[in-house]
Amino acid sequence: MGMQSEIDLNFWVTRGMARRLGVNITEAMHDGFLTQADFAEMITTCRTCGRTEFCLAVLAEKGEGPQAIPTDCPNYEVLTSLRALQ
């Protein structure tokens, strides 16, 4: 997989994990809770974590409403903080 494809994948994985937790990334940026630089850092953190396949499996699980994400996700703290703000 090329670097751009990896970045694209992790962009969507990061957004997906946020959505699973009940966080709207676009809304968080619009409301000033998250900058574009912060989001880019989250994507980089996701990309360097090395567990993308695991996260894709988590995101594939069906459920209703906000659901938990793994607490060892490197973006867990940021995402739970955003959830509390939204």
Side-chain angles (χ1 to χ4, degrees), residues 25-42:
I25 292 290
T26 302
E27 195 174 291
M29 287 194 284
H30 181 268
D31 292 343
F33 298 134
L34 185 71
T35 67
Q36 288 182 347
D38 292 334
F39 184 47
E41 186 175 328
M42 289 173 68

Side-chain angles (χ1 to χ4, degrees), residues 6 10 13-14 17 41-55 70 72-75:
E6 254 185 67
N10 293 108
V13 168
T14 302
M17 292 300 248
E41 186 175 328
M42 289 173 68
I43 295 166
T44 299
T45 298
C46 178
R47 190 169 70 82
T48 58
C49 172
R51 296 178 43 196
T52 302
E53 295 299 321
F54 171 76
C55 292
D72 58 347
C73 170
N75 285 319

Side-chain angles (χ1 to χ4, degrees), residues 50-71:
R51 296 178 43 196
T52 302
E53 295 299 321
F54 171 76
C55 292
L56 289 172
V58 168
L59 292 172
E61 294 173 0
K62 299 290 182 197
E64 294 183 29
Q67 298 175 22
I69 63 171
T71 57

Side-chain angles (χ1 to χ4, degrees), residues 6-28:
E6 254 185 67
I7 292 170
D8 291 346
L9 175 62
N10 293 108
F11 170 89
W12 291 112
V13 168
T14 302
R15 288 184 72 88
M17 292 300 248
R19 186 173 43 257
R20 180 177 172 90
L21 198 56
V23 173
N24 183 319
I25 292 290
T26 302
E27 195 174 291

